[in-house]
């Protein structure tokens, strides 16, 4: 107002102005050590922590190998307005993998991945444990390397057997470098179970077991021919006819043995 209490002419208009919220996209600040693979020994604690920022406060989520992490007995997530911490206690082989922290607000989404490797004895070898070429005293076993090697090369395999009627396992191979082996000295007619364990520098892995297998030849003797008939009897000769056995015992009949004896 001027001294007379009157308004001056108005200034030029500013034009339309939009009021914007004060927003910032989320930010994640993590120690450089998390750029490399984080290595933890089995039984130890894995901790991944980050400082976080963003306006409004971003929603925090942790995933592992694409699945949302739920807080369970061994897993804990501690978050404040500007930090978040993932704790995995008593680490086991399965805890190896990629952990991803994701922050989201109206201004955007930000993710950061951390790869973790848990060192442990190997998991079970890849099944099935195949048993081939079974006879009354030997067979051949084959399997695949463990899908989880525990973070170290498989040094060798241990192969054991037991009779299904007994509880004790006996050693077949102690330091096998291949994923197949021949087992000998089986007892004819006995039923066996075989098992194999991978070994790395952290110890002996979990076993893979076979189905029970009986040590017997894949074939047996044929049963007797049937319906023997004698025709065309003369002083010097006669003709024998018979029907082939109902079972050849699993192997082609190679020929017949014909015998005779005096009735007395």
């Amino acid at each position: 107002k001027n001294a007379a209490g009157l308004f001056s002419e108005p200034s030029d208009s500013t034009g339309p102005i939009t009021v914007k919220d004060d927003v910032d996209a989320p930010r994640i600040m993590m120690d450089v050590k998390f750029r490399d693979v984080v290595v933890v020994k089995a039984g130890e604690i894995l901790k991944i922590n980050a400082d976080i920022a963003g306006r409004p406060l971003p929603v925090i989520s942790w995933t592992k190998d694409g699945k949302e992490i739920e807080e369970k007995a061994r897993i804990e997530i501690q978050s404040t307005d500007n930090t978040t911490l993932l704790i995995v206690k008593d680490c086991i082989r399965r805890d190896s993998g990629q952990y991803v922290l994701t922050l989201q607000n109206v201004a955007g989404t930000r993710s950061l991945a951390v790869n973790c490797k848990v060192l442990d004895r190997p998991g079970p070898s890849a099944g099935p444990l195949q048993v081939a070429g079974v006879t009354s005293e030997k067979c051949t076993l084959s399997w695949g390397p463990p899908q989880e090697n525990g973070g170290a090369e498989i040094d060798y395999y241990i192969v054991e057997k037991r009779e299904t009627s007994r509880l004790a396992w006996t050693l077949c191979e102690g330091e096998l470098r291949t994923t197949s082996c021949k087992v000998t000295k089986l007892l004819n007619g006995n039923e066996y179970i075989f098992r194999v364990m991978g070994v790395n520098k952290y110890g002996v892995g979990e076993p893979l077991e076979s189905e029970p297998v009986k040590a017997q030849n894949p074939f047996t003797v044929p049963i007797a021919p049937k319906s023997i008939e004698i025709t065309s009897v003369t002083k010097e000769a006669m003709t024998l006819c018979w029907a082939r056995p109902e079972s050849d015992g699993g192997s082609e009949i190679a020929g017949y043995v014909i015998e005779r004896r005096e009735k007395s």
Side-chain angles (χ1 to χ4, degrees):
K1 290 178 182 180
N2 59 18
L6 300 170
F7 287 100
S8 69
E9 290 295 305
S11 70
D12 292 341
S13 155
T14 59
I17 291 178
T18 306
V19 177
K20 281 191 180 153
D21 276 336
D22 199 358
V23 297
D24 287 320
R27 294 199 312 285
I28 301 174
M29 287 75 71
M30 242 185 222
D31 194 301
V32 290
K33 71 181 179 190
F34 292 116
R35 287 183 196 165
D36 297 323
V37 175
V38 178
V39 178
V40 190
K41 284 198 181 123
E44 290 183 353
I45 297 176
L46 167 67
K47 285 185 180 182
I48 305 173
N49 62 300
D51 290 330
I52 58 176
R55 270 187 298 191
L57 289 174
V59 174
I60 300 166
S61 72
W62 286 92
T63 58
K64 173 172 185 282
D65 300 331
K67 292 196 186 87
E68 182 91 23
I69 295 174
E70 293 170 25
E71 295 200 61
K72 296 201 274 282
R74 293 187 308 113
I75 299 172
E76 210 179 303
I77 296 167
Q78 298 174 2
S79 298
T80 67
D81 286 354
N82 45 24
T83 64
T84 183
L85 167 65
L86 173 73
I87 301 171
V88 183
K89 298 174 194 152
D90 293 327
C91 279
I92 55 176
R93 259 191 322 273
R94 276 204 311 275
D95 296 325
S96 296
Q98 187 174 68
Y99 293 82
V100 178
L101 167 63
T102 301
L103 304 182
Q104 190 171 18
N105 68 11
V106 290
T109 302
R110 178 90 174 86
S111 290
L112 205 59
V114 177
N115 291 302
C116 172
K117 187 155 107 173
V118 178
L119 305 180
D120 197 1
R121 57 200 191 93
S125 295
L129 176 44
Q130 288 180 317
V131 186
V134 181
T135 73
S136 58
E137 75 253 351
K138 63 182 191 293
C139 67
T140 303
L141 308 178
S142 60
W143 59 93
Q147 284 170 323
E148 298 175 331
N149 67 4
E153 289 297 303
I154 301 295
D155 295 324
Y156 58 88
Y157 294 92
I158 295 171
V159 180
E160 297 177 328
K161 70 175 190 285
R162 76 172 173 89
E163 293 167 38
T164 51
S165 58
R166 301 183 174 200
L167 294 172
W169 292 91
T170 58
L171 191 67
C172 303
E173 293 283 348
E175 282 198 25
L176 187 73
R177 308 277 168 186
T178 57
T179 55
S180 65
C181 74
K182 195 169 181 178
V183 179
T184 56
K185 297 182 183 162
L186 302 177
L187 298 174
N188 188 14
N190 281 7
E191 193 177 51
Y192 292 93
I193 293 176
F194 302 95
R195 74 176 180 182
V196 60
M197 288 91 76
V199 180
N200 67 9
K201 64 183 177 185
Y202 304 111
V204 178
E206 292 171 45
L208 168 71
E209 289 191 12
S210 74
E211 293 294 318
V213 177
K214 199 169 204 173
Q216 60 187 16
N217 288 320
F219 45 83
T220 180
V221 296
I223 61 171
K226 304 184 303 180
S227 322
I228 190 163
E229 285 179 19
I230 300 175
T231 57
S232 317
V233 181
T234 68
K235 273 199 305 212
E236 278 100 34
M238 60 183 83
T239 301
L240 306 185
C241 295
W242 61 90
R244 55 176 292 125
E246 269 179 12
S247 165
D248 61 12
S251 176
E252 280 295 301
I253 288 177
Y256 294 92
V257 176
I258 297 170
E259 298 175 325
R260 70 173 190 196
R261 69 176 171 89
E262 307 278 331
K263 192 173 178 189
S264 58

